[in-house]
Amino acid sequence: MIKLTPPMGWNSWNTFGENINEKMIFETADVMAESGLRDKGYEYLVIDDCWSLRERDENGRLVPDPEKFPHGMKAVADYVHSKGLKFGMYSCAGNMTCAGYPGSYEHEFVDAETFASWDVDFLKYDYCYHSPILHGKYLYRRMGLALENCGRDILFSACSWGADETHEWIKETGASMWRSTGDIFDTWDSVKDLVAQQEKLHPYNGVGCFNDMDMLIVGMKGRGHVGLKGCTDEEYKLHFAAWCLLESPLMIGCDIREMTEETKAILTNPTLLSIDQDARCNRPYILKFGGNNDYPIIVRNLENGDVALGFFNLSDSPANLWVPSDDLGVPFLQGKRLEGTEAYTGKRINAVNATLSASLEPHTCEVYRLKITELP
């Protein structure tokens, strides 16, 4: 499968962990369709770890847990598809999954065939309990080939956490997206850490194989499997904006059956979604204000000549950030300037004295979609 823009959807792990079942998945599918999330591009509903029995059957095949999924996975897929969504599942490159269920090591082709028979559209493939003898690239190549030969178009989501220098070989495997980091948690420190890790990975992102910064924690509020401390809505806004500017897949992790209007507004922000899903998929670049990692200014050139500009204050103190328009490719002496609208507030910005600026409270951001106009 070739994906031209970052995949979008919902995954069960962040909130539910092992506490998954058919009823919850059906209800989530209903909300994805009825709330407008599907129509905004969130098309994949993915069941993560803990969906199977602890052992394979006598034929060596994976078996859905009959208590959690009494009608089987084909019935779950049918229901998800009936809502205009695509259905995703989970396995692992090791002997066991991260939670101790059967992994796909030495079962890659039979498992790919099984997933295809259930009409699966997406496979998240983790990296726990893998062979210490075989390098990760061989394990992910195996499953990539298995999926390409299973008779169904299944998106391959590689989740090796950036281990074994994943960025150097992941495009060999057929993966459409690849996890570049360890797991996210519902804390400010986790968000800040994941943003800081991205700069060196920009050259390895792009069409067909997108750098996955891990699932979204927007709206979790400290609840669920990775809930921990929780974040403020302003921190969730920064989190979502950074993922969009850095061209990450967007996989919702909160319980959308209970999401607030503020959470929904963040997840469906039209300006930020247009940036994440921009058809050009140009690489972002980061300007560190004052050379400080706490003040990244993230920029992406967009398909219609617009410029996406994000000011981020990752520090614990207020900050005034600015950037010359010349640094964004717009020279002052040629009679051009940048102007646009902030994604969350609608506030207007114009370059003044060939400079754009923002005054930010701690843990906040401002993101603008800018156009090049003539100087008055």
Side-chain angles (χ1 to χ4, degrees):
M1 172 178 287
I2 299 176
K3 292 297 291 183
L4 301 180
T5 57
M8 297 170 58
W10 177 90
N11 180 291
S12 63
W13 184 254
N14 278 4
T15 293
F16 296 100
E18 66 178 4
N19 298 313
I20 52 176
N21 58 65
E22 183 178 281
K23 179 177 181 292
M24 180 272 290
I25 294 299
F26 287 0
E27 291 173 355
T28 299
D30 292 342
V31 175
M32 288 181 73
E34 296 164 6
S35 67
L37 289 174
R38 179 197 61 196
D39 296 338
K40 290 292 185 178
Y42 294 99
E43 61 177 340
Y44 291 99
L45 188 160
V46 181
I47 297 175
D48 210 283
D49 204 349
C50 312
W51 58 267
S52 75
L53 292 180
R54 293 282 181 176
E55 295 185 18
R56 294 173 178 269
D57 68 13
E58 65 276 10
N59 298 312
R61 291 187 177 270
L62 295 167
V63 181
D65 185 327
E67 292 188 6
K68 294 178 178 179
F69 300 98
H71 296 95
M73 284 305 177
K74 180 63 167 62
V76 177
D78 288 345
Y79 190 88
V80 171
H81 291 149
S82 76
K83 298 297 179 176
L85 300 164
K86 296 180 179 179
F87 179 53
M89 294 192 67
Y90 167 99
S91 191
C92 187
N95 288 313
M96 295 189 296
T97 70
C98 297
Y101 292 79
S104 288
Y105 180 60
E106 294 291 3
H107 293 83
E108 291 88 357
F109 280 82
V110 69
D111 286 356
E113 292 168 3
T114 298
F115 294 137
S117 73
W118 292 339
D119 288 347
V120 170
D121 306 296
F122 180 114
L123 179 67
K124 177 182 172 182
Y125 203 53
D126 224 330
Y127 200 40
C128 291
Y129 300 104
H130 60 274
S131 169
I133 300 172
L134 288 176
H135 191 282
K137 61 187 175 184
Y138 301 112
L139 300 175
Y140 281 87
R141 285 176 192 167
R142 280 188 187 185
M143 183 52 85
L145 277 174
L147 291 173
E148 290 294 340
N149 285 276
C150 74
R152 184 172 177 82
D153 202 9
I154 298 178
L155 187 152
F156 186 21
S157 173
C159 185
S160 61
W161 332 310
D164 296 342
E165 304 297 330
T166 301
H167 59 280
E168 296 182 356
W169 48 264
I170 192 60
K171 289 187 179 181
E172 303 168 5
T173 69
S176 294
M177 54 191 276
W178 61 282
R179 269 279 296 285
S180 60
T181 67
D183 289 357
I184 195 170
F185 295 94
D186 187 19
T187 69
W188 166 249
D189 289 340
S190 181
V191 170
K192 181 177 178 178
D193 178 59
L194 294 183
V195 171
Q197 294 182 45
Q198 298 308 308
E199 185 174 15
K200 65 182 183 295
L201 299 171
H202 293 167
Y204 306 97
N205 197 4
V207 173
C209 195
F210 290 97
N211 171 3
D212 176 14
M213 295 170 61
D214 203 5
M215 297 167 286
L216 298 167
I217 55 168
V218 175
M220 289 192 64
K221 295 292 185 180
R223 299 185 298 269
H225 187 66
V226 303
L228 301 185
K229 298 178 182 177
C231 296
T232 68
D233 282 334
E234 290 301 315
E235 290 168 342
Y236 287 139
K237 287 180 179 179
L238 184 150
H239 159 46
F240 187 72
W243 265 233
C244 289
L245 274 165
L246 293 170
E247 207 172 15
S248 176
L250 302 175
M251 303 299 291
I252 298 170
C254 70
D255 185 350
I256 59 172
R257 299 172 304 172
E258 300 177 357
M259 66 178 170
T260 65
E261 287 302 314
E262 180 65 24
T263 293
K264 181 180 176 182
I266 296 170
L267 293 171
T268 60
N269 184 281
T271 299
L272 292 173
L273 289 178
S274 74
I275 292 169
D276 182 76
Q277 297 292 300
D278 186 74
R280 284 287 300 172
C281 293
N282 288 328
R283 276 175 51 188
Y285 57 95
I286 296 179
L287 307 170
K288 297 177 183 177
F289 183 77
N292 192 321
N293 290 330
D294 280 348
Y295 307 128
I297 298 173
I298 306 175
V299 191
R300 265 177 65 197
N301 292 348
L302 305 177
E303 65 168 333
N304 64 345
D306 288 359
V307 177
L309 170 66
F311 296 99
F312 291 83
N313 181 7
L314 307 181
S315 79
D316 297 328
S317 302
N320 296 313
L321 311 185
W322 53 269
V323 59
S325 59
D326 191 52
D327 287 6
L328 310 180
V330 182
F332 180 72
L333 293 180
Q334 295 186 33
K336 306 292 184 182
R337 77 170 179 181
L338 289 162
E339 58 182 22
T341 303
E342 207 281 318
Y344 288 119
T345 65
K347 181 176 71 173
R348 296 287 299 173
I349 191 173
N350 297 302
V352 177
N353 297 324
T355 302
L356 294 142
S357 61
S359 297
L360 301 175
E361 293 300 312
H363 306 184
T364 66
C365 69
E366 289 184 4
V367 178
Y368 295 90
R369 186 172 183 128
L370 304 169
K371 293 189 177 296
I372 299 175
T373 63
E374 302 291 332
L375 282 170

